[in-house]
Coordinates of all heavy atoms in Angstrom, one line a residue:
F200 N -18.0 21.3 1.2 CA -19.3 21.7 0.7 C -19.1 23.0 -0.2 O -19.8 23.1 -1.2 CB -20.2 22.1 1.9 CG -21.5 22.7 1.5 CD1 -22.5 21.8 1.0 CD2 -21.8 24.0 1.7 CE1 -23.7 22.3 0.6 CE2 -23.0 24.5 1.3 CZ -23.9 23.7 0.7
L201 N -18.2 23.9 0.1 CA -18.0 25.1 -0.7 C -17.5 24.7 -2.1 O -18.0 25.3 -3.1 CB -17.1 26.1 0.0 CG -17.6 26.7 1.3 CD1 -16.5 27.3 2.1 CD2 -18.7 27.8 0.9
V202 N -16.6 23.8 -2.1 CA -16.0 23.3 -3.4 C -17.2 22.7 -4.3 O -17.3 23.0 -5.5 CB -14.9 22.3 -3.3 CG1 -14.4 21.8 -4.6 CG2 -13.7 23.0 -2.5
I203 N -18.0 21.8 -3.6 CA -19.1 21.2 -4.3 C -20.1 22.2 -4.8 O -20.5 22.2 -6.0 CB -19.7 20.1 -3.4 CG1 -18.7 19.0 -3.1 CG2 -21.0 19.6 -4.0 CD1 -19.2 18.0 -2.0
R204 N -20.4 23.2 -4.0 CA -21.4 24.2 -4.3 C -20.9 25.0 -5.6 O -21.6 25.3 -6.5 CB -21.5 25.2 -3.1 CG -22.6 26.2 -3.3 CD -22.5 27.3 -2.3 NE -21.4 28.2 -2.5 CZ -21.1 29.2 -1.6 NH1 -21.7 29.3 -0.5 NH2 -20.0 30.0 -1.9
E205 N -19.6 25.3 -5.6 CA -19.0 26.2 -6.7 C -18.9 25.4 -8.0 O -19.1 26.0 -9.1 CB -17.7 26.7 -6.3 CG -17.7 27.7 -5.2 CD -18.6 28.9 -5.4 OE1 -18.4 29.6 -6.4 OE2 -19.5 29.1 -4.6
L206 N -18.7 24.0 -7.9 CA -18.5 23.3 -9.1 C -19.7 22.5 -9.6 O -19.7 21.8 -10.6 CB -17.3 22.3 -8.9 CG -16.0 22.9 -8.7 CD1 -14.9 21.9 -8.5 CD2 -15.6 23.8 -9.9
R207 N -20.8 22.6 -8.8 CA -22.0 21.7 -9.0 C -22.5 21.9 -10.4 O -22.7 20.9 -11.1 CB -23.0 22.1 -8.0 CG -24.4 21.5 -8.2 CD -25.3 21.9 -7.0 NE -26.7 21.7 -7.4 CZ -27.7 21.8 -6.6 NH1 -27.5 22.0 -5.3 NH2 -28.9 21.6 -7.0
D208 N -22.7 23.1 -10.9 CA -23.3 23.3 -12.2 C -22.4 22.8 -13.3 O -22.8 22.3 -14.3 CB -23.7 24.8 -12.4 CG -24.8 25.2 -11.6 OD1 -25.5 24.3 -11.0 OD2 -25.1 26.4 -11.5
R209 N -21.1 23.0 -13.1 CA -20.1 22.6 -14.1 C -20.0 21.1 -14.2 O -20.0 20.6 -15.4 CB -18.7 23.1 -13.6 CG -17.5 22.7 -14.4 CD -16.2 23.0 -13.7 NE -15.1 22.4 -14.5 CZ -14.3 23.1 -15.3 NH1 -14.5 24.4 -15.4 NH2 -13.4 22.5 -16.0
V210 N -20.1 20.3 -13.1 CA -19.9 18.9 -13.2 C -21.2 18.1 -13.3 O -21.2 16.9 -13.6 CB -19.0 18.3 -12.1 CG1 -17.6 18.9 -12.2 CG2 -19.6 18.6 -10.7
L211 N -22.3 18.8 -12.9 CA -23.6 18.1 -12.9 C -24.7 18.7 -13.8 O -25.9 18.5 -13.5 CB -24.1 17.9 -11.5 CG -23.3 16.9 -10.6 CD1 -23.7 17.0 -9.1 CD2 -23.4 15.5 -11.1
D212 N -24.3 19.5 -14.7 CA -25.2 20.1 -15.7 C -26.5 20.6 -15.1 O -27.6 20.2 -15.5 CB -25.6 19.0 -16.7 CG -24.4 18.5 -17.5 OD1 -23.5 19.3 -17.7 OD2 -24.4 17.3 -17.9
D213 N -26.4 21.5 -14.1 CA -27.6 22.2 -13.6 C -28.7 21.2 -13.1 O -29.8 21.6 -13.1 CB -28.2 23.1 -14.6 CG -27.2 24.1 -15.1 OD1 -26.4 24.6 -14.3 OD2 -27.2 24.5 -16.3
L214 N -28.3 20.0 -12.6 CA -29.3 19.1 -12.0 C -30.0 19.8 -10.9 O -29.4 20.4 -10.0 CB -28.7 17.9 -11.5 CG -28.4 16.7 -12.4 CD1 -27.8 15.6 -11.7 CD2 -29.7 16.2 -13.0
D215 N -31.4 19.7 -10.8 CA -32.1 20.4 -9.8 C -31.9 19.8 -8.4 O -31.7 20.5 -7.4 CB -33.6 20.2 -10.1 CG -34.2 21.4 -10.7 OD1 -33.4 22.4 -10.8 OD2 -35.4 21.4 -11.0
R216 N -32.0 18.5 -8.3 CA -31.8 17.8 -7.0 C -30.8 16.7 -7.2 O -31.2 15.5 -7.3 CB -33.2 17.3 -6.6 CG -33.3 17.4 -5.1 CD -34.6 17.1 -4.5 NE -34.3 16.8 -3.1 CZ -34.9 15.9 -2.4 NH1 -35.9 15.2 -2.8 NH2 -34.5 15.7 -1.1
P217 N -29.5 17.0 -7.2 CA -28.6 15.9 -7.4 C -28.5 14.9 -6.3 O -28.9 15.2 -5.2 CB -27.2 16.6 -7.5 CG -27.5 18.0 -7.2 CD -28.9 18.3 -7.0
R218 N -28.1 13.7 -6.7 CA -28.0 12.6 -5.7 C -26.5 12.5 -5.2 O -25.6 12.6 -6.1 CB -28.4 11.3 -6.3 CG -29.9 11.2 -6.7 CD -30.2 10.1 -7.6 NE -29.4 10.2 -8.8 CZ -29.4 9.3 -9.8 NH1 -30.1 8.1 -9.6 NH2 -28.7 9.4 -10.9
A219 N -26.3 12.1 -4.0 CA -24.9 11.9 -3.5 C -24.9 10.6 -2.7 O -25.8 10.2 -2.0 CB -24.5 13.1 -2.5
A220 N -23.7 9.9 -2.9 CA -23.5 8.7 -2.1 C -22.1 8.9 -1.4 O -21.2 9.4 -2.0 CB -23.4 7.4 -3.0
I221 N -22.1 8.7 -0.1 CA -20.9 9.1 0.7 C -20.3 7.8 1.4 O -21.0 7.2 2.2 CB -21.3 10.1 1.8 CG1 -22.0 11.3 1.1 CG2 -20.1 10.6 2.6 CD1 -22.5 12.4 2.1
Q222 N -19.1 7.5 1.1 CA -18.4 6.4 1.8 C -17.6 7.0 2.9 O -16.7 7.9 2.7 CB -17.4 5.7 0.8 CG -16.7 4.5 1.5 CD -15.4 4.1 0.9 OE1 -14.6 5.0 0.5 NE2 -15.1 2.8 0.9
G223 N -17.9 6.6 4.2 CA -17.2 7.1 5.3 C -18.2 8.0 6.0 O -18.7 9.1 5.5
F224 N -18.6 7.7 7.3 CA -19.6 8.4 8.0 C -19.0 8.9 9.3 O -19.6 8.7 10.4 CB -20.9 7.6 8.1 CG -22.1 8.4 8.2 CD1 -22.5 9.2 7.2 CD2 -22.9 8.4 9.4 CE1 -23.7 10.0 7.2 CE2 -24.1 9.2 9.4 CZ -24.5 10.0 8.4
G225 N -17.8 9.4 9.2 CA -17.1 9.9 10.4 C -17.2 11.4 10.5 O -18.2 12.0 10.1
N226 N -16.1 12.0 11.0 CA -16.1 13.5 11.1 C -16.5 14.2 9.8 O -17.4 15.0 9.8 CB -14.7 13.9 11.7 CG -14.6 15.4 11.8 OD1 -15.5 16.1 12.2 ND2 -13.4 15.9 11.4
A227 N -15.7 13.9 8.8 CA -16.0 14.6 7.5 C -17.2 14.2 6.8 O -18.1 15.0 6.4 CB -14.7 14.5 6.6
G228 N -17.4 12.9 6.6 CA -18.5 12.4 5.8 C -19.9 12.7 6.4 O -20.8 13.1 5.7
A229 N -20.1 12.5 7.7 CA -21.4 12.7 8.3 C -21.8 14.2 8.3 O -23.0 14.5 8.0 CB -21.4 12.2 9.8
Q230 N -20.8 15.1 8.6 CA -21.2 16.5 8.6 C -21.5 17.0 7.1 O -22.4 17.8 6.9 CB -20.0 17.3 9.1 CG -19.8 17.0 10.6 CD -18.8 18.0 11.2 OE1 -19.2 19.1 11.6 NE2 -17.6 17.6 11.4
L231 N -20.8 16.4 6.2 CA -21.0 16.8 4.8 C -22.4 16.3 4.3 O -23.1 17.0 3.6 CB -19.9 16.3 3.9 CG -20.0 16.7 2.4 CD1 -20.0 18.2 2.2 CD2 -18.8 16.0 1.6
A232 N -22.8 15.1 4.8 CA -24.1 14.6 4.4 C -25.2 15.6 4.9 O -26.1 15.9 4.2 CB -24.3 13.2 5.1
T233 N -25.0 16.1 6.1 CA -26.0 17.0 6.6 C -26.1 18.3 5.8 O -27.1 18.8 5.4 CB -25.7 17.4 8.1 OG1 -25.7 16.2 8.9 CG2 -26.7 18.4 8.7
L234 N -24.9 18.9 5.5 CA -24.8 20.1 4.7 C -25.5 19.9 3.3 O -26.2 20.8 2.8 CB -23.4 20.6 4.5 CG -22.6 21.0 5.8 CD1 -21.2 21.3 5.5 CD2 -23.3 22.3 6.3
L235 N -25.2 18.7 2.7 CA -25.8 18.5 1.3 C -27.3 18.3 1.4 O -28.0 18.9 0.6 CB -25.1 17.3 0.7 CG -23.7 17.4 0.3 CD1 -23.1 16.1 -0.2 CD2 -23.5 18.5 -0.8
A236 N -27.8 17.6 2.4 CA -29.2 17.4 2.6 C -29.9 18.7 2.8 O -31.0 19.0 2.2 CB -29.5 16.4 3.7
E237 N -29.3 19.6 3.6 CA -29.9 20.9 3.9 C -29.9 21.8 2.7 O -30.7 22.7 2.5 CB -29.1 21.6 5.0 CG -29.4 21.1 6.4 CD -28.4 21.6 7.5 OE1 -27.5 22.5 7.1 OE2 -28.5 21.3 8.6
D238 N -29.0 21.5 1.7 CA -28.9 22.3 0.5 C -29.8 21.7 -0.6 O -29.7 22.1 -1.8 CB -27.4 22.3 0.0 CG -27.2 23.4 -1.0 OD1 -27.7 24.5 -0.9 OD2 -26.5 23.0 -2.1
G239 N -30.6 20.7 -0.3 CA -31.5 20.1 -1.3 C -31.0 18.9 -2.0 O -31.7 18.4 -2.9
W240 N -29.9 18.4 -1.7 CA -29.4 17.2 -2.3 C -30.1 16.0 -1.8 O -30.6 16.0 -0.6 CB -27.9 16.9 -2.0 CG -26.9 17.9 -2.8 CD1 -26.9 19.2 -2.6 CD2 -25.9 17.5 -3.7 NE1 -25.9 19.7 -3.4 CE2 -25.3 18.6 -4.1 CE3 -25.5 16.3 -4.2 CZ2 -24.2 18.6 -5.0 CZ3 -24.4 16.2 -5.1 CH2 -23.8 17.4 -5.5
M241 N -30.2 14.9 -2.6 CA -30.7 13.6 -2.1 C -29.5 12.8 -1.7 O -28.7 12.4 -2.6 CB -31.5 12.9 -3.2 CG -33.0 13.3 -3.2 SD -33.9 12.1 -4.1 CE -33.3 12.5 -5.8
V242 N -29.4 12.5 -0.4 CA -28.3 11.6 0.0 C -28.8 10.2 -0.1 O -29.6 9.7 0.7 CB -27.8 11.9 1.4 CG1 -26.7 11.0 1.9 CG2 -27.3 13.4 1.5
V243 N -28.4 9.5 -1.2 CA -29.1 8.2 -1.5 C -28.4 7.0 -0.9 O -28.9 5.9 -0.8 CB -29.2 7.9 -3.0 CG1 -30.2 8.9 -3.6 CG2 -27.8 8.0 -3.7
A244 N -27.1 7.2 -0.4 CA -26.4 6.1 0.3 C -25.3 6.7 1.1 O -24.6 7.7 0.8 CB -25.8 5.1 -0.8
V245 N -25.1 6.0 2.3 CA -23.9 6.4 3.1 C -23.4 5.0 3.6 O -24.1 4.1 3.8 CB -24.3 7.3 4.3 CG1 -24.8 8.6 3.9 CG2 -25.3 6.6 5.3
G246 N -22.1 5.0 3.8 CA -21.4 3.7 4.2 C -20.4 4.0 5.2 O -19.7 5.1 5.2
D247 N -20.2 3.0 6.1 CA -19.0 3.1 7.0 C -18.3 1.7 7.0 O -18.6 0.9 6.1 CB -19.4 3.6 8.4 CG -20.2 2.6 9.2 OD1 -20.5 1.5 8.7 OD2 -20.5 2.9 10.4
S248 N -17.5 1.5 8.0 CA -16.8 0.2 8.0 C -17.7 -1.0 8.3 O -17.3 -2.1 8.2 CB -15.6 0.2 9.0 OG -16.1 0.6 10.3
S249 N -18.9 -0.7 8.7 CA -19.8 -1.8 9.1 C -20.9 -2.2 8.0 O -21.2 -3.3 7.7 CB -20.6 -1.5 10.4 OG -21.5 -0.5 10.2
A250 N -21.4 -1.1 7.3 CA -22.5 -1.4 6.3 C -22.7 -0.2 5.4 O -22.2 0.9 5.7 CB -23.8 -1.6 7.1
T251 N -23.5 -0.4 4.4 CA -24.0 0.7 3.5 C -25.5 0.8 3.8 O -26.2 -0.2 3.9 CB -23.8 0.4 2.1 OG1 -22.4 0.7 1.8 CG2 -24.6 1.3 1.2
I252 N -26.0 2.1 3.9 CA -27.5 2.3 4.1 C -27.9 3.0 2.8 O -27.4 4.1 2.5 CB -27.8 3.1 5.3 CG1 -27.1 2.5 6.6 CG2 -29.3 3.3 5.5 CD1 -27.6 1.2 7.0
V253 N -29.0 2.5 2.2 CA -29.4 3.1 0.9 C -30.9 3.4 0.9 O -31.7 2.7 1.5 CB -29.3 2.0 -0.2 CG1 -29.6 2.6 -1.6 CG2 -27.9 1.4 -0.2
D254 N -31.2 4.6 0.3 CA -32.6 4.9 0.0 C -32.6 5.8 -1.3 O -32.1 6.9 -1.3 CB -33.3 5.7 1.1 CG -34.7 6.0 0.8 OD1 -35.2 5.8 -0.3 OD2 -35.5 6.3 1.8
P255 N -33.0 5.2 -2.4 CA -33.0 5.9 -3.7 C -33.8 7.2 -3.7 O -33.5 8.1 -4.5 CB -33.6 4.9 -4.7 CG -33.7 3.6 -4.0 CD -33.6 3.8 -2.6
D256 N -34.7 7.4 -2.7 CA -35.5 8.6 -2.6 C -34.9 9.6 -1.7 O -35.4 10.7 -1.4 CB -36.9 8.3 -2.2 CG -37.7 7.5 -3.2 OD1 -37.4 7.7 -4.4 OD2 -38.4 6.6 -2.7
G257 N -33.7 9.3 -1.1 CA -33.0 10.2 -0.2 C -33.2 9.8 1.2 O -34.3 9.6 1.7
L258 N -32.1 9.6 2.0 CA -32.1 9.2 3.4 C -32.5 10.4 4.3 O -32.2 11.6 3.9 CB -30.8 8.7 3.8 CG -30.3 7.4 3.2 CD1 -28.8 7.2 3.3 CD2 -31.0 6.2 4.0
D259 N -33.1 10.1 5.4 CA -33.3 11.1 6.4 C -31.9 11.2 7.2 O -31.7 10.4 8.1 CB -34.4 10.7 7.3 CG -34.7 11.7 8.4 OD1 -33.8 12.5 8.8 OD2 -35.8 11.8 8.9
V260 N -31.1 12.1 6.8 CA -29.7 12.1 7.3 C -29.7 12.3 8.8 O -28.9 11.7 9.5 CB -28.9 13.2 6.6 CG1 -27.5 13.4 7.2 CG2 -28.7 12.9 5.1
A261 N -30.6 13.2 9.3 CA -30.6 13.4 10.8 C -30.8 12.1 11.6 O -30.1 11.8 12.6 CB -31.6 14.4 11.1
K262 N -31.7 11.3 11.0 CA -32.0 10.0 11.7 C -30.9 9.0 11.6 O -30.6 8.3 12.5 CB -33.3 9.4 11.1 CG -34.6 10.0 11.4 CD -35.7 9.0 11.7 CE -36.9 9.7 12.3 NZ -37.9 10.1 11.3

Side-chain angles (χ1 to χ4, degrees):
F200 176 73
L201 291 164
V202 175
I203 294 170
R204 185 190 76 186
E205 294 305 301
L206 294 180
R207 173 176 159 169
D208 290 350
R209 175 191 174 100
V210 295
L211 289 172
D212 298 330
D213 301 322
L214 273 180
D215 258 358
R216 212 173 161 218
R218 297 164 298 173
I221 305 176
Q222 184 203 37
F224 208 61
N226 177 42
Q230 296 191 80
L231 184 57
T233 300
L234 293 173
L235 291 173
E237 284 171 0
D238 193 44
W240 287 63
M241 273 195 290
V242 178
V243 292
V245 295
D247 72 357
S248 55
S249 69
T251 285
I252 307 295
V253 185
D254 185 343
D256 297 323
L258 290 159
D259 182 336
V260 173
K262 286 222 171 89

